Amino acid sequence: MPELEAILLVGGQGTRLRPLTLGTPKPLLPTAGVPFLAHQLARARSFGVRRVVFATSYRAEMFSEAFGDGSVFGLSLEYVVEETPLGTGGAIRNAAAALTCGPGAPVLVLNGDILSGHDVGEQVARHVARRAAVTLHLTEVDDPSRFGCVPTDDEGRVTAFLEKTPTPVTNRVNAGCYVFTRSVIDAIPPGEVVSVERETFPGLIESGALVLGYAEAAYWLDVGTPAAFVRGSRDLVLGRLASPALPGPPGDLLTLPGATVSDGAKVDGGSVVGAGAVVESGAQVSGSVLADGCVVRSGATVTDSVVGAGARISSGVVLRDAVIGDGAVVGPGNELLAGTRLWPGVVLPECAVRFSSDV
Ligand code: GTP
């Protein structure tokens, strides 16, 4: 496969993942032990990508601090900053200034919050063979109303692009990985706020350009919500999606250097224990992300949750589907369930929140 250039869309604010994204952009959140994007970059490299342009806006400087020139990944990385967010289409157009390929070359464009096991090489090959304007990876989901609904004809030609419609006509949705022919990117108006989902794709279809769907039912996850973020980390640790960037062998548990898991603690289900984090004897942690330097005391139960850096989880606490911000303290006996989010630094006194009435 020829060398490919890619644009990575990473300028979003990640509002659905607050408070985790208050200080860190979503694509940099520690996921299975490394910044989320490390998994995407390592996979992109394995599909022949050699140069990646980051389309940044929110907390732009943090991306170059995290990845530098990309040599660790065998990639060459460029960073393009939008002074004000230009939307997905405007960001792609803006980043194209840093591409080196010619007008007929395929360019891979990736949303920075998708975990996908699909065959990118095959997607690019189909795009080139059919001389398409754009080729979209499509995946099937149970509830297509939250995504771009993408019907195709028998030849794979996209016949409509219906962004977040309450009346979806198919379960096939936009999976957030595109191959654009370079000249199609250059035709997006420069310096304007443009949405590929609401403007570029419908406009191309309307004008008769060949927009192709590449449907593949591989592992796929949009990590935009806390529950999905936790699931993504867990699936990477468990090896449900192979990632060259996983810092250790796949298994029930990933402990980062400097983490302490006491003999009497039970930690499993694809959990990560961050550097310097402590899980005391008698604690139970399952399917969760424990960030660097946090402490889970004896007798606490943490399930499918995120515990932020330096946070303290006291004895007898129950966390399920909860997000605890960096440095927060959950006092003894609290129960935080079903999507609870505690903001960074908040101190919750003993038994302040309980869901059950048996107290
Ligand atoms: P939410 O606020 O939780 O919806 O998340 P988000 O801001 O990431 O938005 P969304 O998931 O719709 O964005 C899809 C992808 O496009 C993500 O990878 C974003 O980082 C990226 N993105 C969205 N808007 C912009 C933008 O204006 N500029 C750039 N460079 N990237 C964007």
Side-chain angles (χ1 to χ4, degrees), residues 9-16 26 55 82 85-88 91 111-113:
L9 291 172
V10 293
Q13 300 233 350
T15 49
R16 289 167 297 160
K26 172 166 58 174
E82 293 147 47
L86 291 172
T88 46
N111 276 3
D113 53 0

Side-chain angles (χ1 to χ4, degrees), residues 139-144 147-150 168-174:
T139 192
E140 286 199 6
V141 295
D142 291 338
D143 177 12
F147 299 92
C149 174
V150 187
V169 292
T170 166
N171 280 36
R172 281 208 180 139
V173 300
N174 170 23

Side-chain angles (χ1 to χ4, degrees), residues 187-244:
I188 297 173
E192 288 179 23
V193 176
V194 179
S195 157
V196 282
E197 297 88 347
R198 296 185 192 281
E199 295 165 79
T200 312
F201 296 149
L204 285 167
I205 295 163
E206 177 85 359
S207 72
L210 178 56
V211 178
L212 265 190
Y214 172 72
E216 190 188 322
Y219 178 97
W220 184 84
L221 187 67
D222 170 353
V223 301
T225 63
F229 170 70
V230 174
R231 190 180 325 138
S233 181
R234 180 197 312 153
D235 287 349
L236 286 161
V237 172
L238 291 170
R240 288 180 183 154
L241 176 66
S243 168

Side-chain angles (χ1 to χ4, degrees), residues 45-103:
R45 174 74 170 76
S46 75
F47 285 114
V49 172
R50 292 294 178 269
R51 197 157 171 281
V52 180
V53 181
F54 281 57
T56 68
S57 175
Y58 177 64
R59 296 194 176 268
E61 69 296 342
M62 291 181 76
F63 290 92
S64 50
E65 283 163 15
F67 297 116
D69 66 1
S71 48
V72 172
F73 295 93
L75 291 166
S76 153
L77 303 183
E78 296 285 331
Y79 303 90
V80 174
V81 185
E82 293 147 47
E83 291 310 323
T84 56
L86 291 172
T88 46
I92 295 168
R93 176 66 176 86
N94 195 52
L99 294 174
T100 61
C101 62

Side-chain angles (χ1 to χ4, degrees), residues 248-309:
D252 237 11
L253 161 69
L254 176 67
T255 38
L256 299 184
T260 309
V261 177
S262 299
D263 283 346
K266 189 165 180 291
V267 185
D268 57 16
S271 296
V272 186
V273 186
V278 175
V279 184
E280 290 186 355
S281 179
Q284 294 192 31
V285 178
S286 177
S288 295
V289 177
L290 306 185
D292 294 353
C294 72
V295 178
V296 179
R297 297 263 180 238
S298 171
T301 305
V302 180
T303 309
D304 299 342
S305 296
V306 183
V307 179

Side-chain angles (χ1 to χ4, degrees), residues 309-321:
R312 298 271 178 279
I313 310 302
S314 306
S315 296
V317 166
V318 177
L319 302 181
R320 194 177 322 125
D321 298 325

